Amino acid sequence: MNSHQKSSDYSVDQRRTHVLHVGSWLSRIVEIAASKNHFVLVIGGDHSIAMGTWSGLKNADKDFGLIWIDAHMDAHTYETSISKNPHGMPVAVLLGVGDGEFVKLAKNPPVLKPASLIQTGIRSYEEEEQEFLEQLGVDISYHYKRHSYNGLDSLTKSKRCLLQIHPYYGVSFDIDGIDPAYCPGTGTPADGELELNDVIQSLKGILFDTSCVGLEIVEYNPVPDHEQITFESVKKIIASLVA
Ligand SMILES: [Mn+2]
């Protein structure tokens, strides 16, 4: 799919086939890199690639918890989703629920147990997703208001919690988790936090963090961007990884 075509130009089946194809390719190359103990950095693409990234790490036998930075829960299934967009489903899939082919990207699903997942930045979701995640006891930090909390503290705390039960952690970072003032170039912006600087501070030097197995940065889309605001933000985020 090229960047000028919208996902709605394709049928549900075509999107599913495409996502499966990318997911199985990505899970294979991530598995190879992780097996050699390389840090895995994935830059996407829509958030459906998370199924491939984290299935690949699990297939390489990495024992990790995941910090999910996002405005959305991404915990739909084909049954609950109105749009049927796979980018709204990766969290359910990683927990072993939803489309069987997506779930089977991991050789031994689920990729994550509920206690191994922490979501932060959340402020736009459907009731079915919230019910599903809260029933499982997933740790969710809701951030509706601007300038209302210290995102850096929250991310540091999440990392510490996960490292109590796993030797490693990973970060799935949807740029729509950031205040859209800094990142308008994304498919589904949502008003509210997080602060760009908090995220930059928390990702600083992460490539050298031996307890971090990988990071993915997703949902950057140059088409809806204006004055390259998002481009500059993503550049700053990437520069911070090796700072
Ligand atoms: Mn997302």
Side-chain angles (χ1 to χ4, degrees):
M1 183 179 313
N2 73 49
S3 61
H4 297 287
Q5 287 170 301
K6 287 187 265 155
S7 61
S8 53
D9 295 339
Y10 295 84
S11 73
V12 171
D13 263 0
Q14 282 173 317
R15 278 181 274 164
R16 179 179 178 275
T17 304
H18 180 74
V19 165
L20 259 178
H21 192 76
V22 172
S24 71
W25 169 78
L26 182 59
S27 66
R28 278 199 308 273
I29 56 166
V30 166
E31 182 184 350
I32 293 168
S35 302
K36 294 177 183 162
N37 293 320
H38 291 312
F39 184 97
V40 170
L41 174 63
V42 176
I43 297 177
D46 87 24
H47 217 158
S48 63
I49 62 172
M51 305 177 200
T53 304
W54 306 106
S55 295
L57 274 147
K58 163 91 174 164
N59 292 345
D61 286 326
K62 294 292 176 189
D63 177 2
F64 61 92
L66 188 61
I67 301 174
W68 191 272
I69 305 172
D70 203 324
H72 309 89
M73 291 178 171
D74 292 352
H76 272 297
T77 63
Y78 276 110
E79 285 69 41
T80 64
S81 168
I82 295 165
S83 70
K84 312 290 180 206
N85 273 328
H87 73 171
M89 306 177 183
V91 166
V93 168
L94 295 174
L95 290 165
V97 175
D99 189 305
E101 293 297 310
F102 291 161
V103 171
K104 276 194 298 191
L105 290 170
K107 290 169 190 160
N108 186 18
V111 174
L112 297 169
K113 293 204 172 75
S116 306
L117 173 66
I118 296 180
Q119 291 202 321
T120 190
I122 304 298
R123 55 199 183 264
S124 173
Y125 49 86
E126 271 75 50
E127 217 173 285
E128 294 90 341
E129 300 176 281
Q130 185 182 34
E131 217 169 278
F132 167 63
L133 292 181
E134 291 204 339
Q135 262 174 14
L136 290 174
V138 171
D139 184 339
I140 303 167
S141 293
Y142 295 93
H143 297 128
Y144 303 103
K145 288 195 194 128
R146 267 191 187 136
H147 315 304
S148 59
Y149 89 115
N150 186 335
L152 180 58
D153 277 354
S154 155
L155 291 163
T156 310
K157 210 174 87 202
S158 302
K159 175 180 150 181
R160 215 181 304 128
C161 285
L162 291 174
L163 288 177
Q164 273 167 14
I165 49 173
H166 298 280
Y168 300 107
Y169 75 100
V171 180
S172 184
F173 174 30
D174 186 326
I175 63 157
D176 73 27
I178 293 182
D179 188 331
Y182 308 111
C183 285
T186 191
T188 44
D191 261 340
E193 297 262 17
L194 308 153
E195 295 290 336
L196 177 63
N197 273 337
D198 283 350
V199 174
I200 286 175
Q201 286 303 314
S202 65
L203 297 179
K204 212 170 180 180
I206 199 169
L207 257 67
F208 308 115
D209 180 353
T210 50
S211 61
C212 186
V213 277
L215 164 71
E216 65 186 352
I217 301 172
V218 301
E219 298 284 352
Y220 168 47
N221 184 349
V223 179
D225 200 10
H226 41 89
E227 289 158 15
Q228 301 203 313
I229 294 173
T230 316
F231 176 68
E232 292 302 328
S233 296
V234 172
K235 254 177 40 185
K236 274 188 210 158
I237 291 163
I238 291 174
S240 76
L241 308 180
V242 290

